[in-house]
Amino acid sequence: MASAPKKHPTFVTRRLRVRPFRASDAKALHLLYGDAENLRYWGTDPSPSAQRTRKMMSWHLGYRPRNYVLWAVEEIKSRRLVGMINYHRRELREKRVDVGWLILPEMQGKGYMTEAGQALLRHLIDDLGVHKVEALIREENKASAALARRLGFRLEGGPIRDRWLVGGKWHNVMLYGLIAGEERVSR
Ligand SMILES: CC(C)(COP(=O)(O)OP(=O)(O)OC[C@H]1O[C@@H](n2cnc3c(N)ncnc32)[C@H](O)[C@@H]1OP(=O)(O)O)[C@@H](O)C(=O)NCCC(=O)NCCS
């Protein structure tokens, strides 16, 4: 398996360490990617096996050019990996990225992704010079839409028809967008 790139930073927030993934995270990652119920509004199918999750992680870590980067979200007090946050589809010329987020069901509703999302937005805008951050979210995914709004995203469009193919079915998504300067840094 490829090793985690050194150049991606770690963000330490009040309760979280948002850090690059490493090979030893494979098992914890499968808890996230293997949970079909938690992934019911996700853009790809749940992972059917730990082996498939490991392969996917290897692909993520080795992907070049690095327009897809994922971070592990670790709870500081338990040192447990509880979620992941990523950017993907980075468009260098247009200074734009998409973001995605996922956290274990028992860790939801504690403000963790708000915290991780704020840290990622700061990195994207302040360090990488990103101008526009977008998130594609299924209309039914109220928790994700609420999180996006809490971070400062606005609903910009949709339903965008047949954007995701999941479980053999096409799904529409809504487009949320945030322009640098619109991010909410605290609640
Ligand atoms: C979408 C998702 C990542 C949100 O993560 P989360 O960590 O539960 O989000 P948060 O805890 O930051 O915010 C959720 C709630 O916590 C509450 N909260 C509690 N304490 C908080 C705190 N200290 N700070 C911020 N919010 C807090 C918020 O008020 C919010 O409630 P509300 O939505 O009723 O207003 C999570 O639901 C998830 O993993 N879903 C499954 C995967 C998925 O669909 N991902 C998105 C695909 S587009």
Side-chain angles (χ1 to χ4, degrees):
M1 182 177 297
S3 60
K6 302 262 184 301
K7 61 181 176 165
H8 298 300
T10 292
F11 321 115
V12 179
T13 67
R14 194 163 65 81
R15 296 171 295 175
L16 305 172
R17 185 173 294 109
V18 183
R19 58 157 178 82
F21 266 95
R22 35 190 191 238
S24 56
D25 293 325
K27 213 168 150 190
L29 193 70
H30 186 63
L31 283 181
L32 288 165
Y33 279 104
D35 184 339
E37 171 61 17
N38 201 30
L39 294 183
R40 64 197 180 283
Y41 304 130
W42 199 245
T44 55
D45 291 310
S47 171
S49 65
Q51 193 190 12
R52 186 74 70 80
T53 304
R54 259 199 308 278
K55 262 196 180 160
M56 180 188 74
M57 188 171 165
S58 210
W59 181 85
H60 284 329
L61 293 179
Y63 194 79
R64 295 288 185 279
R66 295 204 62 80
N67 61 8
Y68 187 125
V69 178
L70 78 164
W71 277 265
V73 175
E74 191 180 281
E75 190 181 42
I76 290 177
K77 71 171 182 217
S78 65
R79 304 185 73 176
R80 183 175 171 208
L81 193 157
V82 297
M84 79 88 197
I85 190 161
N86 71 35
Y87 73 73
H88 52 283
R89 287 208 306 213
R90 183 174 177 191
E91 283 288 342
L92 284 175
R93 196 183 66 79
E94 293 162 0
K95 299 181 187 295
R96 191 180 69 236
V97 294
D98 277 24
V99 290
W101 34 58
L102 167 62
I103 189 163
L104 293 170
E106 65 269 30
M107 293 292 160
Q108 293 176 10
K110 294 175 188 290
Y112 278 177
M113 270 303 152
T114 304
E115 225 171 285
Q118 286 175 345
L120 179 62
L121 286 176
R122 273 196 298 273
H123 171 60
L124 292 174
I125 293 166
D126 298 349
D127 304 334
L128 302 187
V130 167
H131 175 69
K132 182 81 188 280
V133 186
E134 293 182 347
L136 296 178
I137 300 177
R138 291 258 305 269
E139 206 164 10
E140 306 90 317
N141 196 347
K142 304 293 179 213
S144 190
L147 171 63
R149 287 185 190 282
R150 201 172 309 119
L151 290 170
F153 286 76
R154 300 179 195 179
L155 178 60
E156 293 190 340
I160 299 171
R161 297 177 305 147
D162 286 5
R163 187 59 175 260
W164 287 348
L165 178 62
V166 187
K169 278 198 204 151
W170 289 103
H171 295 281
N172 301 343
V173 295
M174 306 302 283
L175 171 65
Y176 286 78
L178 176 147
I179 291 174
E182 293 175 348
E183 65 277 15
R184 297 221 187 100
V185 286
S186 57
R187 297 182 80 224

